Amino acid sequence: MARGHNFQAALCLCLVLVSHFHFTTSKPTGFSLKLIPRDSPDSPLYPGKLTESERIQSLLRISEARNMKIGSEGIRNWLFLDTGGSLIWTQCLPCKNCYKTALPIYNSQTSNSYRKLPCDHQLCSGDNALFRCVGGECRYDITYGDGRGITRGVASTEAFELFDNDERFVEGVIFGCSNENIDIPFAKGDMISGIFGLSMSPASFANQPYDEFNGLFSYCLVPFSQTWKDPSYLNFGTDVPPQPGTPYWNSTKFVIPPGSYFYYLNLLDITVGPKRMKFPSDTFAIREYGEGGCIIDSGTIFTQFDDYRGFNVYGILMEEFQKYYDAKKLERHTFDGFELCYKMPPGFNDFARMIYHLDGADYEVEGRFVHYISFPEGYFCVAIRPGKRTVIGAWHQQNIRLVYNINKRGVSGLNFYPDDCATLRS
């Protein structure tokens, strides 16, 4: 399931559909979702004007979210977009244990389009079932974060409205009706009521509701310094932009370990600034109990590196960054959130780049996107954090077109190329 996934640091966005299809009468082949940042004046979650420090602390606390309506009564929900999430779920009345939100909780008993998933459904029976039948109900039990966060409920189907100000629904979407939620990391009295899962799981939105989407979706994240004015877009099926010619386009296969639906990549080595680290070949291998390895995840904003005690990749990389900047005689700066920060001289732009050397392709991150840079306050920080595995987070995905292909009839993999995401409209 989702054990070990970090929701502490990610970007909050809402979603508005820009390509109109009538899902209830015809089969779409593609659609696009407009992503409105949480701190945009267009967002109902707009917190007002923030300083740079307040903005970064907000990013450290919250994840990506999407605004949609659920059920025949059109209950509005905000859901975290999570490419590591195996299921769409929302808090659901009647509750055994629900946390407070600013919006009403969805009530399955008042929706004419709500159905419980039968126990004989393929997701609830057989050797590869994601859920289990308990007391005649198809139930799930998902653990988050450090193992304390839990959501439990009934696997169900419902109609989801993904359009802005337009009563059109995707019918029969498999989702979770969560009536028991304990220590959910993002439960802070805000509007967020659940998860919009986009992992490789057969229950995620990426694998439903129509085969015509062909397991294909894409996004290009506008630099976070511009998100207040330029939205990003999430594309499905035929709305995914065509790939450019070589040498811009890069491809790497997903590593698919048994029982996992994360987007694992075969990471071979890392370059920091001018130096290739030349890590041992098994450094980024998946270890016992699912730790280690390398995944790419939109639901974690700041990239994490494995701090496993036997071989601390995070510590080694931080030492290399420190050598790079100490050689430039920069003065250290203290900031609550990152370990390594420096005061920024006027006009300084010599930031260390990073390259992820993947199987078959190099994934390069521009120096400015390797760091959190506070121009008004005059400092910058290496925007990476320690974790139980390597996670290429959203911060290292800025201005890169990412295309996820999970078509089981072909080779599953990630395609990517550098782009100016702010100039794109789909």
Side-chain angles (χ1 to χ4, degrees), residues 176-191:
C177 185
S178 283
N179 55 15
E180 187 173 6
N181 303 285
I182 303 169
D183 290 333
I184 300 298
F186 52 78
K188 299 182 183 298
D190 211 326
M191 294 191 178

Side-chain angles (χ1 to χ4, degrees), residues 72-344:
S72 61
E73 293 193 335
I75 300 300
R76 186 175 298 278
N77 275 248
W78 284 76
L79 305 178
F80 282 118
L81 175 68
D82 180 20
T83 58
S86 61
L87 177 69
I88 304 169
W89 66 264
T90 188
Q91 291 204 119
C92 186
L93 294 174
C95 287
K96 293 181 181 178
N97 186 11
C98 290
Y99 56 88
K100 293 182 180 180
T101 64
L103 292 175
I105 297 176
Y106 162 80
N107 189 346
S108 63
Q109 296 182 347
T110 63
S111 175
N112 296 330
S113 49
Y114 174 80
R115 301 288 186 274
K116 292 182 180 180
L117 206 66
C119 279
D120 61 358
H121 191 279
Q122 62 183 1
L123 292 177
C124 203
S125 62
D127 295 338
N128 298 318
L130 290 178
F131 317 128
R132 58 193 180 96
C133 188
V134 178
E137 292 182 328
C138 183
R139 300 192 63 86
Y140 59 88
D141 189 325
I142 302 175
T143 304
Y144 292 104
D146 59 4
R148 293 180 298 178
I150 298 172
T151 185
R152 299 188 180 103
V154 179
S156 312
T157 65
E158 184 55 284
F160 278 64
E161 182 186 344
L162 300 176
F163 295 82
D164 183 41
N165 299 321
D166 194 348
E167 295 181 358
R168 305 182 190 185
F169 287 80
V170 181
E171 294 183 343
V173 175
I174 295 172
F175 85 114
C177 185
S178 283
N179 55 15
E180 187 173 6
N181 303 285
I182 303 169
D183 290 333
I184 300 298
F186 52 78
K188 299 182 183 298
D190 211 326
M191 294 191 178
I192 310 303
S193 59
I195 295 292
F196 188 76
L198 269 176
S199 75
M200 297 184 75
S201 164
S204 83
F205 190 81
N207 275 312
Q208 57 167 316
Y210 293 97
D211 289 339
E212 284 77 3
F213 295 160
N214 210 24
L216 193 68
F217 70 93
S218 172
Y219 56 82
C220 190
L221 296 182
V222 170
F224 296 146
S225 61
Q226 299 173 242
T227 54
W228 65 274
K229 62 176 182 177
D230 295 309
S232 301
Y233 287 85
L234 174 65
N235 316 108
F236 288 89
T238 55
D239 262 29
V240 172
Q243 68 184 52
T246 56
Y248 305 103
W249 190 260
N250 294 279
S251 299
T252 189
K253 296 178 182 178
F254 291 128
V255 177
I256 307 177
S260 176
Y261 299 113
F262 289 129
Y263 294 105
Y264 278 97
L265 304 174
N266 187 8
L267 177 59
L268 307 176
D269 201 5
I270 292 173
T271 289
V272 173
K275 182 177 178 179
R276 182 154 178 165
M277 302 306 297
K278 297 182 180 179
F279 285 122
S281 59
D282 62 347
T283 299
F284 302 100
I286 301 172
R287 299 193 302 272
E288 192 177 7
Y289 306 116
E291 294 184 352
C294 172
I295 67 173
I296 186 165
D297 181 18
S298 69
T300 300
I301 193 170
F302 296 112
T303 288
Q304 299 176 13
F305 284 99
D306 197 344
D307 64 349
Y308 177 58
R309 286 173 294 178
F311 193 84
N312 189 339
V313 173
Y314 172 78
I316 293 171
L317 291 176
M318 294 303 286
E319 287 179 4
E320 188 59 34
F321 276 108
Q322 183 171 346
K323 290 177 184 177
Y324 180 89
Y325 289 116
D326 285 356
K328 299 181 183 299
K329 309 297 183 183
L330 298 184
E331 183 180 352
R332 291 288 294 271
H333 174 79
T334 300
F335 178 74
D336 185 18
F338 298 115
E339 177 182 337
L340 188 62
C341 301
Y342 291 89
K343 293 184 178 179
M344 187 166 57

